[in-house]
Amino acid sequence: MADQTTNAAKAAEADKGYWAANVRIIIVSLVIWAVVSFGFGILLRPLLSGIQVGGSDLGFWFAQQGSILVFLGLIFFYAVRMNKLDREYGVEEE
């Protein structure tokens, strides 16, 4: 009975670690996405207006294309990082 309690406690601790790491990755990704889309595309647009990219200013580029490209990059980053995290905790897909 004590072994089952110990194993259950270890499994619960591993679950907490897994979800803490998962939530940390999500929060970091959301902060990056918010800074790029809202910060660079809206708040910092006047500061970025003097830098030309592809015929338009950098602030406009971030608002129209940059935030989408960063979002796609974050999706791939999340997938790769979660696969690594799944392997670390032994919950990878078969």
Side-chain angles (χ1 to χ4, degrees):
M1 185 72 158
D3 289 337
Q4 289 177 344
T5 306
T6 304
N7 289 339
K10 287 180 183 178
E13 191 64 32
D15 287 346
K16 285 182 184 179
Y18 176 81
W19 285 106
N22 186 2
V23 169
R24 193 175 327 115
I25 293 168
I26 291 171
I27 289 172
V28 167
S29 297
L30 286 174
V31 167
I32 291 170
W33 180 58
V35 167
V36 169
S37 62
F38 186 70
F40 292 165
I42 297 172
L43 295 178
L44 298 176
R45 183 160 186 247
L47 296 174
L48 300 173
S49 64
I51 304 169
Q52 294 293 312
V53 173
S56 65
D57 64 88
L58 187 60
F60 179 78
W61 184 85
F62 269 114
Q64 298 302 312
Q65 295 174 344
S67 60
I68 295 169
L69 294 175
V70 169
F71 183 69
L72 289 173
L74 286 172
I75 290 172
F76 287 110
F77 162 76
Y78 180 78
V80 168
R81 185 62 185 104
M82 284 308 298
N83 285 334
K84 182 179 175 187
L85 191 65
D86 288 348
R87 283 191 301 274
E88 288 175 13
Y89 284 90
V91 294
E92 68 270 8
E93 297 177 9
E94 296 176 4

